[in-house]
Amino acid sequence: MSKPSELTEGQRAYEARRAAKAGMTLEKWLVEKDKRAKQEAAEAAKEAEATAKAAQPEKKGWLGRLLDKAHQPLK
C-alpha cells in the first residue's frame, strides 16, 4: 500500500472513513491494511505453489509401466 503522503485527497478521505468505521487512526489503518495485503499475497503464493505441485504427474510404478507395454501393439 502507498504511504499516507502518496494518497490523493479523495483516497485519503475514503481511507479515513474506513479507519473511523474500524475505530482506528488513519496511519494505523494503513499499516494494518498493508499487513493484510502482504499476508494475502503470501497465502496466494502458497496456494499457487501447491497447485503447481499437484499438476505434476506422478511417476508410474512397475505395474503401470508393464500395463502400458501390454497395451502397445506388437512389433
Side-chain angles (χ1 to χ4, degrees):
M1 178 68 204
S2 58
K3 295 180 181 177
S5 60
E6 297 174 3
L7 297 175
T8 64
E9 275 305 307
Q11 289 172 329
R12 179 179 291 280
Y14 174 75
E15 293 297 342
R17 284 193 307 270
R18 291 183 68 193
K21 194 179 240 187
M24 298 180 185
T25 64
L26 178 60
E27 291 77 23
K28 190 175 178 182
W29 172 257
L30 292 175
V31 169
E32 188 67 30
K33 184 176 176 183
D34 190 37
K35 280 184 188 177
R36 279 194 312 266
K38 286 180 182 178
Q39 184 180 15
E40 288 174 0
E43 289 174 3
K46 284 182 183 178
E47 287 180 19
E49 185 178 317
T51 304
K53 269 189 175 179
Q56 294 175 347
E58 288 188 25
K59 194 172 182 180
K60 290 194 175 188
W62 175 79
L63 185 58
R65 291 191 310 264
L66 185 64
L67 287 172
D68 285 344
K69 284 186 179 182
H71 286 99
Q72 290 178 357
L74 297 174
K75 294 180 183 176

